[in-house]
Structure formats: C-alpha cells, structure tokens
Amino acid sequence: MSRFEATVNKIVIIALSFIPVLSGLGLILAGMRSKKKQWTIIGLAYIIVCCIVMSVDFVNICVIIWFVSIIHTVIIGKEYCMRLKVLKESKDILAEREREQEEKIYQELMGEGRKSKESRIEENVQTAVMDINSCGEAELGTVPGIGLILAKRIIDIRREQPFESVDEFYKRAGISDEKQKLMAKYLTCSECKVKDVQEEQLSKSESSSHTIGRRIDI
C-alpha cells in the first residue's frame, strides 16, 4: 500500500467520525476493513450511546461523546493503515501460493515437472527400468515427462496393440524429443512379451478357424 492510499484511508474514517450522532461510523468501517471486531463494537457503542443521550436531551454529553469518538478515530488511524497493508500483503502471498500450487498440479498431471522435481523422483522412486508393455498406469505416471494424463492415453494405445520397441512407443504415443531424453533411462520394452501376445493372438485365430472348419465338415 502506498503512502497516498494510506492517507486517503485515514482521512475517510476521520471524516466519518465528524458526522454528529453517527460519529462511530469511522471506527465501524475501520474495524470491518481491518478485521478488528473491537473497533466495530466500540463504534456501535458510540452511536447507541449518542442516540440514547439525544433522546433525553442531554446535548452536552452527546457533544462530549462526539469529540471522544473523533479523537479515538484519529488515534487508531496509524494502526488501521498498518493492518490494511499487512492484509493486502498476506492476500498477495496467498494468491501467489495458489498460482504456484495450480502450476505444480498442472505440471504433475502433464508430466512437465521441473528439474528439481525430476531429481527428487530419481532419489525417492526406485530407479528400476519399467516395461512399457506390463507396467500399470500409476507406475507409468511417475516417469518424468509422462504424467497421469499421458499415462492413461498410453495404456489405451497399448490395449489396442502392445509396443514392439521403445522407439515405436515414442512414435505411437507422440512423445517429443525433449521428453524422450527425460524418460529414456526409465523405460524398456520386453520383446518376448510382445511375441507371446502375438503368438497367443495367432493361436486363438487358428483355433477358431479349426473350429469353423470342423463345423463345416459336419
């Protein structure tokens, strides 16, 4: 908060305190904006007391209360501006943290974490190489450069047909060259498993063709 803004805020609450009978409005506004209930309560008390005194024609007492409320408002002016400044700074800090948290979550989902995050993965997660034809979605999501969203898409692609090599995996999954460098040492492709799947599919097709042939013979 600039000095000009602080001065304006102070002038506003002091100006409100000059309103006869309603002189507590300055304190009420200061309490509400700075989140200090004590000032709000005192401001309401000034107004209530002034109204009661005016109703019984004790004008002199009302004038005294009026001056007291003005002095009180002037005294709290400095603290009021300081509290507003602290509240503004705290809101800015919270907003910045929220933006950082959103960015961090987005990067984790998209597999675009920073190098510091990748180094923590290398230290904390097992460095065992993952088989792209057998690892689960959660395991695949921990690989630097993949993330949960891409991991789900890779699993869907793998269901259609297993990968024959890591290079084919890169091509079919649409992995960029930059991400390939990040995940290269974490991935492997078990060719024997691919062959087993292909042989299994072939045997199923052959068995089904034999069954059809037998039915035709009958």
Side-chain angles (χ1 to χ4, degrees), residues 7-151:
T7 304
V8 170
N9 288 322
K10 190 186 295 185
I11 290 172
V12 169
I13 61 171
I14 293 173
L16 288 173
S17 69
F18 275 89
I19 302 174
V21 183
L22 301 177
S23 57
L25 286 175
L27 286 168
I28 292 173
L29 178 64
M32 292 175 64
R33 290 196 64 194
S34 63
K35 297 184 179 180
K36 189 165 183 176
K37 293 181 179 179
Q38 183 181 356
W39 292 345
T40 304
I41 294 170
I42 293 172
L44 286 171
Y46 280 133
I47 293 173
I48 293 170
V49 172
C50 279
C51 290
I52 294 172
V53 170
M54 286 292 291
S55 65
V56 294
D57 293 331
F58 289 151
V59 179
N60 293 333
I61 297 176
C62 184
V63 171
I64 293 171
I65 295 172
W66 181 27
F67 279 111
V68 170
S69 65
I70 292 172
I71 294 169
H72 194 171
T73 306
V74 173
I75 291 172
I76 62 113
K78 185 176 181 180
E79 183 183 352
Y80 167 62
C81 293
M82 183 181 67
R83 291 176 71 90
L84 287 181
K85 181 179 179 181
V86 172
L87 285 171
K88 185 177 183 301
E89 290 176 351
S90 63
K91 286 180 181 178
D92 293 340
I93 292 171
L94 288 173
E96 182 64 27
R97 288 181 179 176
E98 287 179 359
R99 284 194 295 269
E100 290 177 355
Q101 188 67 19
E102 288 177 0
E103 183 181 356
K104 182 180 177 182
I105 293 171
Y106 173 79
Q107 289 176 346
E108 289 178 355
L109 290 174
M110 297 301 294
E112 297 176 354
R114 298 175 182 174
K115 291 184 178 179
S116 57
K117 178 178 177 289
E118 292 157 8
S119 62
R120 288 197 298 271
I121 291 175
E122 290 183 14
E123 294 175 0
N124 299 329
V125 180
Q126 292 182 352
T127 55
V129 179
M130 294 186 186
D131 187 347
I132 55 178
N133 281 321
S134 62
C135 63
E137 182 181 307
E139 294 174 321
L140 199 57
T142 61
V143 176
I146 293 183
L148 296 176
I149 294 177
L150 183 56

